[in-house]
Amino acid sequence: MSDVPAVAPPSADGLASAPTAALRPLTHLKRLEAESIHIIREVAATFRNPVMLYSIGKDSAVMLHLALKAFHPGPLPFPLLHIDTTWKFREMIAFRDSLPERLGVRLLVHTNQEGLRRGINPIDSGSVVHTDVMKTQALRQALDHHRFDAAFGGARRDEEASRAKERVFSFRSRTHQWDPRRQRPELWRLYNTRVADGASIRVFPLSNWTELDVWQYIYLENIPLVSLYLAAERPVVERDGTLIMVDDDRLPLAPGERPEPRRVRFRTLGCYPLSGAVESDATTLPQVIREMLVSRASERQGRVIDRDQIGSMEKKKQEGYF
Amino acid sequence: MATDLAGGTAADFDIETYLEEQQHKDLLRFITCGSVDDGKSTLIGRLLFDTKLLFEDQLAALDNVSRRYGTQGDAVDLALLVDGLQAEREQGITIDVAYRFFATPKRKFIVADTPGHEQYTRNMATGASTADLAVILVDARKGILTQTRRHSFIVHLLGIRQLILAVNKMDLVGFDEDRFTAIVAEYGRFADQLGARGVRAVPISALNGDNLFHASRQMDWYAGPTLLDLLETAETARDLATRPFRMPVQWVNRPTPDYRGYSGTIAAGTLKPGDQVVAQPAGRTSQVVRIDTADGPLDRGQPEQSVTVVLADDIDIARGDVLAAAEAEPAMMVADQFAAHLLWMHEDPLLPHRDYLLKIGPRTVTASVLRLTHTVNINTLDEQPTSALGLNEIARCQIATDRPIAFDPYQEVRDTGAFVLIDRFTDETVGAGMIDFALRRATNIHWQALDVDRAARSRQKGQRPCILWFTGLSGSGKSTVANAIEKLLMADGRHSYLLDGDNVRHGLNRDLGFTDQDRVENIRRVAEVARLMVDAGLITIVSFISPFRGEREMARHLVAEGEFIEIFVDTPLDVCEARDPKGLYAKARAGQLANFTGIDSAYEPPEAPEIHLDGAAAPPEVLAERVISYLRAQSIL
């Protein structure tokens, strides 16, 4: 629990409010919450072997929180899966490893051992190869190995233009291919959950959430997060205008380059050499939300891999990355 | 949302108050409909842009994109903001449903942006299915088009009762009031025909922002609300709370032997502890003890909430059952036949009598379309008789399910009146339906229980009845082998009957031709006859080309497991054609015979037949012996 940031408690009639006699329309967060729970239950009820992909980030935290709510008072009827590239922030790993005890969930961790043997890493191999081998291929290996037929992901439609058209239930062929032209129509709350043997689906219960919704929900529901999201003094180097935190001694420093302590936080978390930090004074969630509102840069600014090419997310999806 | 922040007042901005305000916002889902050039993407781009949801780097990325694909020169092309997939960008049309998000200080919005072409009717229906409201865009220069009528019909059919007619591009008609009035009047006449009430009309220019957020200075003659006013004051959900309670059960929550809760999303009505509920379709009643959520029990559950209901009695309720108010009217309908509107969403047409999976709420059953009453021409609203239904067509039809299901008319409760049809082999969603009413007939026909049952008849004959289903191309040798088998069975003292394709077509199926629909019906009838014969205790031999996997599977499901033996007489087409015992291949090749299997009509070979015979490899007697050995091995003989 030491990783859990201090968060101001939600106001007295926060999201977990006791119902009142007069019927009020559901707030947008309650409507989104109910929709996500519906989706999560539908998957648990109809798939043979579902899994929830857990990235340790804020979206994963919300997704997990919703899943726990969906089956309350019962336990989570599926495991969590983390794809570990071995380059995550150390604090992320500690936070991840505290989950099973804290929440009573089953956690699976998979690393592409073949990739490790080949020495793939984000520094020498570059972000494209590293992501492909240690994330995309690793994910496929894990899904194939455990024969998962449904995998929850925390992606949202507001993240990028190509995701605006992504279905909640996204079908993948046996080779994990995504074909935008063969996605099933999704009407009402009726999801066709049937898949052929060997094919699988990715399910995005947060499809209709925006970044602000996610933050607001974390705040109101008091959901524990990795403290990397909050500003603190951290050792960073500046490269091409991006602040990279020196999380361990694997990050090679250029001659004369020295990590300097700066007050930074992270808007998105991934492999530390690929995650850009932003300078910030936001040490509480409300301050983070305030900064986000004021900021004129979207969250993906810090994520190096999306900059590679126009339509890059679409290409990655076709290859099996989320 | 961030409008009040952008001015740089962030320093004294009270985030806690802001969050407090934010959490009481509600959510409106709406759909925008319009043709390609009506400025729909521009309108949505403008809504997003002006609500400052577009952050700087998204604009920067857009800059990149605009230079490659833009149609507006160097200026930011708002339409590009909302066209997602790369392929679409290159074609310059929107081919799917995209969902966009924006917020104002009053409300949050989710917009379904769907393409306007006729070939994307299914996409529009998808977007409309979850919408509270529809914005129908019309180009002021063009007025009401066929497309406008089609879009209006679809959103009305999908149950949207709040329509906004946005007459766009007013700048291009000199902000002419008469033009606006004429368009509104014409649309009003059409809306009456449709049965749509309370249409709101607003003259706008999406490109320039007139009457979007602020009253237009160019149109003093218009004193009504802006588009945003209309969106901010529309109803966010239909009056579902006042209807009788409905909740389809998604999940039975049973973590311990002492706890049994039924989880689902409330589709209509409200629920309190103490309420009497009935579980449909079985009709068992009980009383609500508690309405659980992870945030504690509720005093009252309301529509769209995901809850877990604990009942007083340990009645048998499974996923797919519906909890409904026990006494309130109207009660849920329970039937196995109903009338519905059906939208077809697949390239392969709907074939009446073919089995599909029907998913309604969390329940999946087998269903078939008994009859297509007529198609609705979505451009003219004219109704025409039909025998098949193609992609993007809408028809009224009668549907039968293999067991009774509980439902409401779609126009009353969407979640308990909507269904999808799923292809049983490809698992694709092929149709979307909206139930109109139960067919009386369904509840009145009961199975007559008979004292002499199949077991008795089977014992009397001293054999296990079954179906030997031969399938293969014309000329493959099916009938010859089938004939040989029947002789062997007769010699062995068995009771059998051979149903031959040609012979049945002379009598029972005399009225059927060789179109795909008729082939489906041909097989359905024969399968039913074969089932009756199995019931009568006979070893039933069916020798039909039966080209479609779907119908053979349907026949298989009519009888018990192990009673259906599929025999694939696998003879290469060139061998069959060389044999050509009836001279049919010659005719087909000469173009004198249409829809001939193997020539211009498909044959779908079995994937896992019980018996696979190579029709070119051995004489019929040898093949017949192989079948007999199989029957002995299975202890059928």
Side-chain angles (χ1 to χ4, degrees):
Chain A
M1 289 294 284
S2 59
D3 296 317
V4 179
V7 171
S11 54
D13 66 336
L15 205 57
S17 61
T20 50
L23 208 57
R24 284 196 307 195
L26 294 180
T27 64
H28 76 274
L29 284 176
K30 273 292 179 194
R31 221 173 155 186
L32 291 173
E33 178 190 75
E35 178 187 70
S36 301
I37 288 175
H38 179 87
I39 292 163
I40 293 167
R41 285 173 177 166
E42 201 61 13
V43 172
T46 54
F47 284 87
R48 182 179 44 78
N49 192 16
V51 68
M52 180 166 277
L53 300 185
Y54 178 75
S55 73
I56 323 178
K58 65 181 195 311
D59 300 298
S60 281
V62 167
M63 183 165 66
L64 174 58
H65 186 78
L66 291 165
L68 291 168
K69 280 195 170 195
F71 303 103
H72 172 88
L76 204 61
F78 43 75
L80 307 181
L81 171 66
H82 179 237
I83 299 300
D84 193 343
T85 61
T86 73
W87 288 89
K88 302 296 173 191
F89 291 90
R90 284 173 299 162
E91 192 202 320
M92 290 171 71
I93 300 302
F95 185 88
R96 175 196 77 190
D97 292 340
S98 73
L99 282 184
E101 196 181 329
R102 186 150 53 82
L103 301 173
V105 295
R106 195 154 75 85
L107 173 72
L108 305 170
V109 176
H110 177 80
T111 299
N112 184 350
Q113 297 299 335
E114 164 68 21
L116 275 192
R117 269 195 297 280
R118 282 166 51 200
I120 303 293
N121 69 71
I123 296 152
D124 305 313
S125 319
S127 74
V128 173
V129 171
H130 173 73
T131 302
D132 178 54
V133 175
M134 300 307 288
K135 280 179 85 172
T136 309
Q137 291 184 26
L139 175 60
R140 288 189 201 170
Q141 287 170 351
L143 296 178
D144 289 343
H145 174 74
H146 294 282
R147 301 194 63 228
F148 290 123
D149 53 354
F152 292 100
R156 308 185 316 268
R157 285 176 176 148
D158 80 326
E159 286 178 67
E160 216 220 345
S162 86
R163 279 197 169 146
K165 303 186 179 190
E166 178 72 282
R167 302 293 197 274
V168 174
F169 283 68
S170 178
F171 288 78
R172 307 299 160 108
S173 65
R174 282 181 179 82
T175 52
H176 303 281
Q177 298 296 306
W178 180 76
D179 178 356
R181 284 174 194 277
R182 293 198 61 83
Q183 295 300 305
R184 297 172 181 175
E186 272 173 4
L187 293 96
W188 304 291
R189 270 187 272 267
L190 263 179
Y191 300 102
N192 171 0
T193 55
R194 296 178 65 84
V195 287
D197 213 24
S200 64
I201 61 156
R202 309 286 160 86
V203 188
F204 304 111
L206 304 185
S207 285
N208 286 329
W209 294 60
T210 64
E211 187 185 15
L212 178 60
D213 296 332
V214 166
W215 279 120
Q216 232 177 306
Y217 190 74
I218 289 171
Y219 170 64
L220 290 168
E221 296 277 298
N222 210 357
I223 301 172
L225 276 191
V226 181
S227 72
L228 291 163
Y229 283 113
L230 301 180
E233 208 148 87
R234 298 186 170 99
V236 296
V237 290
E238 186 169 343
R239 291 178 179 175
D240 301 331
T242 305
L243 295 176
I244 302 293
M245 177 174 160
V246 184
D247 194 47
D248 57 33
D249 54 16
R250 288 182 295 174
L251 189 77
L253 299 176
E257 194 181 37
R258 295 184 61 182
E260 51 176 321
R262 288 216 219 166
R263 214 171 164 69
V264 295
R265 65 181 176 87
F266 293 87
R267 310 187 70 223
T268 58
L269 294 177
C271 297
Y272 81 80
L274 299 178
S275 300
V278 291
E279 291 197 271
S280 167
D281 289 318
T283 53
T284 66
L285 268 185
Q287 286 169 4
V288 168
I289 297 172
R290 193 178 73 169
E291 278 196 2
M292 189 205 73
L293 292 172
V294 175
S295 152
R296 293 204 157 247
S298 88
E299 65 170 339
R300 291 194 160 266
Q301 191 179 41
R303 209 178 269 184
V304 182
I305 56 168
D306 282 338
R307 283 288 184 79
D308 298 343
Q309 56 220 124
I310 289 181
S312 64
M313 185 61 81
E314 197 182 320
K315 287 211 175 83
K316 289 201 179 70
K317 262 195 319 207
Q318 286 175 0
E319 288 155 13
Y321 174 66
F322 262 68
Chain B
M1 44 167 276
T3 13
D4 45 342
L5 301 174
T9 54
D12 34 72
F13 168 67
D14 179 0
I15 185 69
E16 315 256 344
T17 310
Y18 174 80
L19 289 173
E20 169 71 17
E21 284 163 12
Q22 287 295 309
Q23 65 172 292
H24 295 301
K25 279 186 190 175
D26 61 6
L27 173 64
L28 184 85
R29 290 175 184 245
F30 70 97
I31 178 174
T32 52
C33 319
S35 338
V36 200
D37 303 318
D38 289 344
K40 180 163 51 72
S41 294
T42 305
L43 172 67
I44 297 174
R46 178 62 70 191
L47 290 171
L48 301 185
F49 191 80
D50 289 2
T51 49
K52 305 234 189 314
L53 195 87
L54 294 173
F55 293 135
E56 218 166 41
D57 75 340
Q58 280 175 320
L59 283 174
L62 176 74
D63 237 20
N64 251 329
V65 174
S66 283
R67 246 167 262 137
R68 274 170 63 186
Y69 308 104
T71 54
Q72 306 263 320
D74 270 351
V76 166
D77 186 346
L78 288 167
L80 276 178
L81 286 173
V82 297
D83 284 331
L85 302 181
Q86 208 162 29
E88 299 178 26
R89 272 182 231 157
E90 278 148 20
Q91 288 172 24
I93 48 160
T94 324
I95 58 166
D96 212 316
V97 190
Y99 295 90
R100 318 283 171 193
F101 310 85
F102 69 97
T104 67
K106 291 197 180 130
R107 183 171 263 184
K108 275 205 31 141
F109 298 91
I110 300 179
V111 196
D113 176 18
T114 65
H117 293 67
E118 184 157 357
Q119 65 265 37
Y120 303 122
T121 295
R122 60 176 165 176
N123 305 84
M124 176 164 294
T126 301
S129 71
T130 51
D132 303 311
L133 175 148
V135 176
I136 312 264
L137 264 182
V138 172
D139 184 330
R141 294 168 302 175
K142 300 179 188 158
I144 310 298
L145 302 176
T146 300
Q147 312 229 36
T148 319
R149 283 188 274 270
R150 184 170 69 240
H151 299 161
S152 305
F153 171 69
I154 294 165
V155 300
H156 186 73
L157 179 68
L158 269 291
I160 298 178
R161 290 294 169 264
Q162 303 186 89
L163 296 185
I164 297 176
L165 179 71
V167 181
N168 191 24
K169 305 198 182 182
M170 286 301 292
D171 51 322
L172 298 183
V173 295
F175 301 104
D176 179 17
E177 179 177 9
D178 292 343
R179 184 73 193 129
F180 174 71
T181 312
I183 290 173
V184 172
E186 189 188 347
Y187 189 80
R189 286 191 292 277
F190 172 71
D192 284 347
Q193 190 190 347
L194 200 60
R197 284 167 217 288
V199 178
R200 307 293 302 262
V202 54
I204 63 169
S205 163
L207 195 63
N208 302 326
D210 291 271
N211 283 336
L212 292 189
F213 292 73
H214 305 288
S216 168
R217 283 184 217 126
Q218 312 288 339
M219 292 179 274
D220 296 340
W221 47 264
Y222 176 78
T226 62
L227 181 63
L228 194 70
D229 290 336
L230 290 173
L231 292 174
E232 285 187 328
T233 53
E235 300 283 329
T236 58
R238 299 199 306 140
D239 52 346
L240 284 170
T242 60
R243 297 189 178 276
F245 172 76
R246 305 282 190 257
M247 189 192 86
V249 175
Q250 260 192 302
W251 174 264
V252 179
N253 196 335
R254 237 192 145 173
T256 64
D258 313 329
Y259 187 93
R260 189 185 182 95
Y262 303 102
S263 302
T265 305
I266 299 178
T270 61
L271 187 72
K272 299 186 304 295
D275 284 357
Q276 289 287 326
V277 290
V278 54
Q280 297 290 18
R284 297 182 190 91
T285 57
S286 185
Q287 195 177 34
V288 176
V289 173
R290 233 176 29 252
I291 306 163
D292 276 339
T293 72
D295 303 317
L298 301 179
D299 294 342
R300 182 141 78 137
Q302 59 174 301
E304 296 209 358
Q305 272 182 317
S306 286
V307 299
T308 299
V309 178
V310 179
L311 299 178
D313 308 282
D314 196 6
I315 57 177
D316 184 23
I317 298 175
R319 171 179 159 86
D321 291 341
V322 186
L323 295 181
E327 271 141 36
E329 289 293 329
M332 261 199 127
M333 298 182 188
V334 176
D336 60 3
Q337 281 189 30
F338 52 83
H341 276 82
L342 186 63
L343 162 64
W344 199 246
M345 301 193 287
H346 201 270
E347 289 79 9
D348 299 339
L350 163 89
L351 299 179
H353 301 295
R354 169 172 276 196
D355 278 348
Y356 296 94
L357 294 174
L358 179 149
K359 187 173 186 198
I360 176 166
R363 172 131 301 166
T364 304
V365 297
T366 301
S368 62
V369 172
L370 293 180
R371 199 160 83 83
L372 287 166
T373 319
H374 48 245
T375 50
V376 181
N377 181 320
I378 52 179
N379 293 322
T380 60
L381 303 191
D382 289 342
E383 299 186 329
Q384 293 143 346
T386 186
S387 59
L389 195 61
L391 178 64
N392 289 314
E393 291 184 333
I394 293 169
R396 282 168 52 168
C397 63
Q398 295 177 3
I399 290 184
T401 52
D402 65 345
R403 66 199 111 135
I405 55 171
F407 56 84
D408 291 293
Y410 177 81
Q411 299 296 344
E412 288 176 22
V413 184
R414 281 192 200 180
D415 283 344
T416 48
F419 62 89
V420 290
L421 292 182
I422 299 168
D423 186 281
R424 303 198 315 162
F425 301 95
T426 63
D427 291 322
E428 287 182 85
T429 304
V430 292
M434 289 137 280
I435 298 180
D436 295 321
F437 51 83
L439 292 170
R440 272 270 77 93
R441 219 141 53 88
T443 40
N444 293 343
I445 298 180
H446 293 288
W447 287 102
Q448 185 67 45
L450 302 168
D451 292 331
V452 178
D453 60 8
R454 63 183 299 167
R457 287 188 287 266
S458 168
R459 269 197 308 278
Q460 182 200 38
K461 295 183 183 61
Q463 63 186 30
R464 274 179 55 200
C466 64
I467 298 177
L468 302 179
W469 190 286
F470 283 80
T471 174
L473 296 171
S474 175
S476 60
K478 296 181 302 296
S479 295
T480 318
V481 179
N483 215 4
I485 289 172
E486 200 176 25
K487 276 198 274 186
L488 291 171
L489 290 173
M490 178 66 89
D492 199 31
R494 308 293 175 167
H495 303 261
S496 64
Y497 191 84
L498 172 57
L499 287 161
D500 181 82
D502 287 345
N503 297 348
V504 172
R505 275 191 177 275
H506 282 120
L508 176 67
N509 292 353
R510 186 167 56 192
D511 56 326
L512 300 177
F514 291 89
T515 61
D516 284 358
Q517 298 94 294
D518 281 1
R519 284 182 189 276
V520 169
E521 175 61 10
N522 183 37
I523 298 305
R524 189 192 69 83
R525 290 186 197 171
V526 169
E528 289 289 352
V529 170
R531 177 169 75 141
L532 291 173
M533 289 188 166
V534 166
D535 202 43
L538 299 176
I539 295 171
T540 311
I541 307 166
V542 177
S543 173
F544 274 63
I545 296 173
S546 45
F548 302 140
R549 230 170 263 144
E551 278 55 55
R552 295 194 301 266
E553 272 317 286
M554 179 274 298
R556 179 184 293 275
H557 287 290
L558 287 178
V559 291
E561 183 135 3
E563 285 183 353
F564 185 90
I565 296 149
E566 189 174 28
I567 303 168
F568 180 25
V569 185
D570 188 2
T571 309
L573 180 63
D574 55 337
V575 176
C576 297
E577 200 165 348
R579 289 178 184 166
D580 204 7
K582 302 168 204 162
L584 297 175
Y585 283 96
K587 277 192 191 169
R589 289 290 184 199
Q592 294 161 5
L593 200 57
N595 300 323
F596 194 72
T597 302
I599 307 294
D600 59 346
S601 186
Y603 179 78
E604 301 169 1
E607 282 169 348
E610 275 75 7
I611 304 176
H612 192 144
L613 300 178
D614 183 346
E621 295 71 25
V622 177
L623 299 177
E625 279 297 347
R626 273 193 52 203
V627 176
I628 296 290
S629 330
Y630 176 90
L631 297 180
R632 289 193 207 286
Q634 300 293 314
S635 322
I636 286 170
L637 299 181

